[in-house]
Amino acid sequence: MTSGTDYNTIAEDYHEIKENPLKKYSEEFTVAKLVGDIKELSVLDLACGDGYYTRKFGNLGAKHVLGVDLSTEMVARAKAQDANLTNVAYRVGDASCIEDETNRNSFDLVTAVYLLQYAPNEEALRGMMQVASDNVTADGMTLFVTQNPNVTDSQLQAQLEHYGVEIQLSADRKDGTPAKTIIPFPGGGALTLEHFHWTTATIEKNLAMVGFETFVWCNMEVEAAGMVKYGADFWKPYLDYDAGTSIVVIECRKKKS
């Protein structure tokens, strides 16, 4: 699987964006709320990066957490940080075509944070989804965190003006067209991530093809602490749009509950 961003070269910079308030008080809070109590559950974290969520799941009491990422540098950083977590392991691997590296249908929860948008073609997109479907249990849950395919131009402009986050999409927004996200660092400078745009219809079609029977698009929410710290006006450009938040979570299950 090939994307426009080489995470081996940006590993150190990538760590800095984790302090962005949109991630810290909204994305992280929403994922934790959807995940719920994971004590004694097994978790597969695809595209784990430097282990940000992998380690959180481990600290929350998951029985076993396996983080998989294509970047050797990211995995090395993750291992170094989590050497004392006995319930967490890491492996270098391509999240779009993992074959015998994991036990099929053995994970209660599979997560993939910002994975789908790096698929350069529909085959790779479906491959990422297939890996998740192959590894989650029949009654388990899969969460894909990704950019909202229906984000509006007014949302993009508001995020640029209020948060300094710039998302560049092609005018036609067809499947597989290149996109770019530029995220400012708290202390100055910015990180540029190159990825691809996929429509809702194509994402849902491929989710069904790999065996997911239900998929719910969940908007981001904001933790109370974040609302208190920054105020409602700060979050308004992020939350108040009919198209939903610019980042969403797709909750997928292989059998209807």
Side-chain angles (χ1 to χ4, degrees):
M1 190 264 297
T2 303
S3 75
T5 300
D6 182 357
Y7 278 79
N8 283 317
T9 62
I10 66 167
E12 185 171 353
D13 291 338
Y14 188 72
H15 179 74
E16 289 192 37
I17 67 173
K18 304 299 174 61
E19 293 302 312
N20 185 295
L22 298 182
K23 184 173 186 68
K24 189 173 183 178
Y25 292 105
S26 178
E27 176 194 300
E28 184 179 328
F29 170 73
T30 304
V31 169
K33 184 176 179 179
L34 289 170
V35 165
D37 185 2
I38 62 171
K39 288 183 174 63
E40 298 306 310
L41 298 185
S42 57
V43 183
L44 173 62
D45 187 19
L46 298 172
C48 67
D50 62 0
Y52 186 79
Y53 280 105
T54 317
R55 116 178 18 96
K56 286 186 180 297
F57 297 147
N59 285 325
L60 286 171
K63 178 173 63 177
H64 173 64
V65 190
L66 175 61
V68 179
D69 199 274
L70 185 62
S71 167
T72 55
E73 180 61 30
M74 286 287 196
V75 170
R77 284 174 172 271
K79 287 182 176 180
Q81 292 182 75
D82 297 341
N84 295 324
L85 284 177
T86 58
N87 59 339
V88 171
Y90 292 98
R91 186 170 295 160
V92 175
D94 189 336
S96 68
C97 58
I98 298 173
E99 295 179 351
D100 297 326
E101 296 185 34
T102 54
N103 298 318
R104 288 184 173 239
N105 303 311
S106 65
F107 291 93
D108 304 297
L109 171 68
V110 175
T111 58
V113 180
Y114 302 118
L115 171 64
L116 300 184
Q117 64 204 55
Y118 287 104
N121 53 60
E122 193 169 342
E123 181 181 5
L125 180 72
R126 187 163 56 253
M128 295 169 179
M129 297 172 177
Q130 188 70 65
V131 167
S133 179
D134 286 346
N135 284 282
V136 72
T137 60
D139 57 352
M141 178 173 66
T142 297
L143 297 178
F144 294 104
V145 178
T146 192
Q147 288 192 340
N148 184 348
N150 303 311
V151 65
T152 66
D153 290 336
S154 58
Q155 281 177 280
L156 298 180
Q157 185 60 34
Q159 290 205 162
L160 175 59
E161 293 176 356
H162 289 268
Y163 311 120
V165 177
E166 182 176 4
I167 302 175
Q168 300 176 359
L169 300 175
S170 63
D172 55 20
R173 299 190 189 180
K174 292 181 179 179
D175 284 321
T177 53
K180 186 179 294 185
T181 298
I182 303 172
I183 306 172
F185 294 137
L191 177 65
T192 299
L193 304 172
E194 298 178 355
H195 47 95
F196 302 90
H197 177 78
W198 293 101
T199 62
T200 301
T202 296
I203 290 173
E204 292 189 344
K205 178 188 73 174
N206 283 278
L207 285 172
M209 288 177 67
V210 302
F212 289 113
E213 290 191 17
T214 63
F215 24 89
V216 180
W217 295 76
C218 306
N219 288 319
M220 291 293 173
E221 301 179 33
V222 176
E223 183 180 6
M227 194 66 73
V228 170
K229 182 173 183 177
Y230 291 95
D233 287 345
F234 174 86
W235 296 102
K236 188 177 177 65
Y238 182 64
L239 299 174
D240 292 352
Y241 286 94
D242 291 339
T245 50
S246 57
I247 302 298
V248 293
V249 185
I250 314 173
E251 179 187 335
C252 306
R253 295 183 185 273
K254 290 201 288 188
K255 70 176 185 180
K256 296 179 181 178
S257 57

